[in-house]
Amino acid sequence: MYVCSIMRPTNLYKGSLNTIILKLLSTHDKMYGYEITQKVKAITKGELHITEGALYPSLHKLEAEGLLEVEFVKVNNRTRKYYRLTEQGTKETMRKLEALENYIKTMRALVSPKFRLE
């Protein structure tokens, strides 16, 4: 089983990994795998650590779905694999972010102090 190494409830983040990747790539022209893991770690102030075992299967799946394209670049005598959104990937990112916003809004309503089970 692939999981993110997280300080908080794992399943909450695990289901959002593709959306996290797509969102990052929507704000950066292109990124390589390790760069994605480090950016997530920095943005979340160390709260979320994406393992390679979780990241690369997600990247490959998004690529196979036509949401990402790959570019190989030679950097310091090493070949680095960069990922960038396709046009379809940009549209899917917007769809996924909207769905996530709706989910967050619903969860806020459910956990707000005004909510009571009757």
Side-chain angles (χ1 to χ4, degrees):
M1 177 169 77
Y2 299 110
V3 296
C4 301
S5 169
I6 302 172
M7 305 296 186
R8 303 282 180 240
T10 304
N11 289 334
L12 292 177
Y13 292 112
K14 192 169 81 170
S16 303
L17 182 55
N18 288 349
T19 305
I20 292 167
I21 292 167
L22 292 171
K23 171 60 178 166
L24 273 177
L25 290 171
S26 75
T27 57
H28 296 78
D29 179 45
K30 61 185 178 184
M31 298 178 83
Y32 57 97
Y34 180 74
E35 182 179 18
I36 292 170
T37 64
Q38 295 308 297
K39 191 68 162 172
V40 168
K41 191 174 173 183
I43 290 169
T44 65
K45 295 180 172 71
E47 194 73 18
L48 177 60
H49 300 264
I50 299 176
T51 62
E52 288 183 16
L55 177 66
Y56 288 102
S58 291
L59 287 170
H60 295 148
K61 182 176 186 281
L62 292 169
E63 182 185 356
E65 291 173 353
L67 304 179
L68 301 181
E69 60 187 17
V70 173
E71 177 186 352
F72 293 93
V73 177
K74 193 99 164 163
V75 179
N76 298 327
N77 291 328
R78 293 182 65 191
T79 301
R80 188 173 281 167
K81 188 175 184 179
Y82 282 91
Y83 298 89
R84 90 169 14 109
L85 291 178
T86 61
E87 185 177 330
Q88 182 184 347
T90 300
K91 290 175 186 173
E92 182 65 10
T93 300
M94 291 171 35
R95 191 190 69 69
K96 283 186 174 290
L97 289 174
E98 184 179 327
L100 183 58
E101 283 296 326
N102 289 333
Y103 172 78
I104 291 168
K105 186 164 54 169
T106 301
M107 292 307 295
R108 277 194 193 119
L110 288 171
V111 299
S112 76
K114 297 178 213 168
F115 177 75
R116 292 180 214 206
L117 292 174
E118 296 179 25

